[in-house]
Amino acid sequence: MQFAKIPIKIYLDQKDYSRIGKGLSGNHECAKDLEVYHFLMNLVDSDKIRIYFSWCHYIEALRYDEQK
């Protein structure tokens, strides 16, 4: 009997999403976060992980304004 490999569930913190977003927007202070983002996306694309978020991420994102 073979079992299908189920992708690992990953939950990131709001600060991770925020720093990745800043890195994607060109903020050089978040270059390492952007590197991690690309690493994680390769794992997502190869179906090894799935990145989830919850309603808490939406609530936390509401408190952020245009911070630099």
Side-chain angles (χ1 to χ4, degrees), residues 14 17-18 54-67:
Q14 175 59 35
Y17 288 112
S18 181
S54 69
W55 63 270
C56 294
H57 290 107
Y58 289 116
I59 300 302
E60 288 181 4
L62 291 175
R63 69 178 198 179
Y64 289 95
D65 55 10
E66 294 184 22
Q67 298 177 8

Side-chain angles (χ1 to χ4, degrees), residues 10-48:
I10 303 288
Y11 287 88
L12 300 177
D13 190 67
Q14 175 59 35
K15 73 172 180 55
D16 300 317
Y17 288 112
S18 181
R19 291 188 57 87
I20 288 169
K22 289 176 183 178
L24 290 169
S25 296
N27 185 327
H28 297 293
E29 293 178 11
C30 298
K32 191 66 172 176
D33 302 277
L34 192 55
E35 196 176 310
V36 170
Y37 166 77
H38 290 297
F39 174 77
L40 291 173
M41 288 308 297
N42 284 332
L43 294 175
V44 169
D45 291 341
S46 65
D47 210 29
K48 293 181 180 175

